[in-house]
Amino acid sequence: MKHLLIITVLLAAMATTCAAQKIEYVDDEECGCSLVFVDGIQTTTDGEFFGFKLADGTVIVPNKFRYVDQFHGDYCKVYIDYGQCGMIDRNGKQIIPCNYDDVEYPSCGRIRVTKNDLNGYCDLEGHEIVPPSYRLAGPFSENLAPVLIDIDSFSVAFTFIDTMGRQTLKPIYENLSIMIDGYAAAQRYSRWGIIDRNGREMLPFMYEYITMPMDGFFFAGDSLGMALFDYRFKPLTKFVYSNPGPLSEGRISVMRDGLYGYLNSNGKEVIPCQYTEASPFKESRAKVAKGKKFGIINASGKAILPLEYEDATPHGDKYIYHDGLALVEKDGKLGFVDIDGKLVIPYYFDQAFHFTQGLACVRFNGMWGYIDTKGDVYMPFVFDYASPFEWGRAEVVYNGTVSNVDLRGKCVKNCNGVIAWRNWKE
């Protein structure tokens, strides 16, 4: 059953993904710490318990929860103790009482809840529409959720239920993905196929491996090779590929005969399988390698950065563009190239991370600091260690103390008398 477990974990994560949220940190003098604002709601704490308030100071929820998540859209997971989980809305209303081992964020108006290792579903008012009774259950997608049914004392099978908990198909499947674009991957007789929401067999149960339908495409095949299919359920390629990547900017990375190349959405091998490594495309560029030499190509397969670079040092996301620049390595030193492969920040650095929020942390002469996208020093090389920025904060080690710094270069946690490192002078 590991396939469903993988699928449901993946899609539980997908179900929590909301539209882009505005996230920022605010220094709280009462607790001497930095607290997070998500879409105008701030986490508060008295040092032991957590609550929430608005930017104007209006208390939504007093400090009463042992642990809280950040808001995801209109909802937030809260705990009154370990293993006692519930959910509140943006108004502070407790829509799911803290009676469950775990809860998941809503999908299709339903909240998956877990109690005593069994899964069920509540509506957005907190009513138990489906009491916890399933040993395995996925999130709702297109108003259907895959669940594991006990057939008898010896056998189990998967089926779909609707948002009211009614079975929509006979429980005959050994494995079942969520529904995407009206189709789901299903397994019978230890073989995979594709069904529609009514259980019609769209792709026969004859394949050893299958990828989840996504963006109108999927791969199916066996240990000898997989082929690309679209929703006409006819193979677009021969069964010669393995290790398919996602469709990104009209390209899919695949392996053939031990080497990687790229297909287009028609199944044509537009970039020959000649690389030992190939990343998804981002900003019309992809990282590729031949042996221990790395470079960057465009969507036509033309080398933007010739395959003569290294990837020996730790850290960073080399040869992938972030903030319009890619971290590259040559002769043991690191620099940055622009979208055309032109070196714009020379090979000065011993170690480096890629850019995040307009800054990159880099190591020079044994110490870490931060540079901007022009290559200018933004915070000096005074740190024992530094990490990339995330949500306006970065963790640094200064004189052996782990501290937090904001995008202004101001110390905001464990400062020990340091006010700021921006334009810092000894």
Side-chain angles (χ1 to χ4, degrees), residues 99-384:
N99 297 333
Y100 298 97
D101 302 331
D102 196 16
V103 302
E104 295 295 340
Y105 288 100
S107 57
C108 300
R110 294 291 181 263
I111 299 168
R112 184 173 47 166
V113 296
T114 304
K115 192 169 188 177
N116 299 325
D117 294 324
L118 296 175
N119 297 276
Y121 301 89
C122 294
D123 65 16
L124 298 182
E125 298 298 322
H127 304 118
E128 263 190 11
I129 304 300
V130 181
S133 54
Y134 298 113
R135 283 186 279 169
L136 286 174
F140 274 93
S141 175
E142 300 181 16
N143 294 319
L144 295 175
V147 295
L148 182 65
I149 303 289
D150 287 295
I151 304 301
D152 52 41
S153 57
F154 298 101
S155 57
V156 295
F158 285 97
T159 185
F160 280 117
I161 60 172
D162 65 18
T163 55
M164 297 308 296
R166 296 172 296 220
Q167 292 184 34
T168 64
L169 301 176
K170 289 181 64 176
I172 58 174
Y173 302 103
E174 297 158 18
N175 228 317
L176 200 57
S177 78
I178 67 163
M179 190 68 61
I180 298 178
D181 296 333
Y183 302 105
Q187 186 183 38
R188 292 193 72 187
Y189 317 116
S190 299
R191 293 286 171 167
W192 286 91
I194 300 287
I195 61 172
D196 68 9
R197 61 186 304 113
N198 297 314
R200 279 195 308 164
E201 187 178 301
M202 309 304 295
L203 187 73
F205 292 94
M206 58 184 293
Y207 299 101
E208 186 177 353
Y209 304 112
I210 200 166
T211 63
M212 288 181 58
M214 195 74 70
D215 297 320
F217 298 93
F218 62 94
F219 282 82
D222 57 27
S223 57
L224 297 178
M226 304 175 75
L228 176 66
F229 290 73
D230 64 13
Y231 281 161
R232 294 172 297 177
F233 304 102
K234 300 293 183 182
L236 301 177
T237 68
K238 295 180 179 180
F239 289 84
V240 295
Y241 296 106
S242 61
N243 295 352
L247 177 66
S248 60
E249 301 185 6
R251 298 290 183 264
I252 307 169
S253 63
V254 291
M255 177 182 279
R256 178 173 54 80
D257 299 328
L259 295 173
Y260 285 96
Y262 294 87
L263 305 178
N264 65 14
S265 56
N266 294 320
K268 181 180 178 181
E269 195 173 295
V270 290
I271 300 176
C273 293
Q274 57 183 312
Y275 303 110
T276 54
E277 184 177 327
S279 76
F281 273 86
K282 181 180 180 182
E283 298 184 27
S284 300
R285 302 290 186 266
K287 171 185 178 180
V288 292
K290 288 186 177 181
K292 295 184 178 180
K293 294 298 182 180
F294 293 81
I296 300 172
I297 61 172
N298 65 14
S300 299
K302 179 183 177 182
I304 301 301
L305 192 71
L307 277 79
E308 55 188 45
Y309 293 80
E310 304 158 8
D311 193 2
T313 61
H315 308 307
D317 192 5
K318 298 188 191 74
Y319 308 101
I320 305 294
Y321 284 90
H322 300 268
D323 291 344
L325 296 174
L327 176 63
V328 299
E329 179 181 351
K330 197 167 189 179
D331 299 327
K333 295 290 184 178
L334 295 113
F336 294 86
V337 298
D338 64 15
I339 200 72
D340 297 317
K342 179 183 177 182
L343 185 68
V344 293
I345 300 177
Y347 303 105
Y348 288 143
F349 309 111
D350 307 312
Q351 292 177 285
F353 285 91
H354 60 267
F355 276 90
T356 61
Q357 297 192 262
L359 298 175
C361 51
V362 294
R363 186 171 178 262
F364 180 70
N365 286 342
M367 300 299 288
W368 288 83
Y370 289 87
I371 60 172
D372 61 23
T373 55
K374 295 179 180 179
D376 295 330
V377 176
Y378 189 82
M379 277 181 267
F381 297 94
V382 295
F383 302 111
D384 304 316

Side-chain angles (χ1 to χ4, degrees), residues 50-63:
F50 293 86
F52 298 94
K53 69 180 181 181
L54 299 178
D56 63 6
T58 302
V59 174
I60 303 174
V61 179
N63 298 329

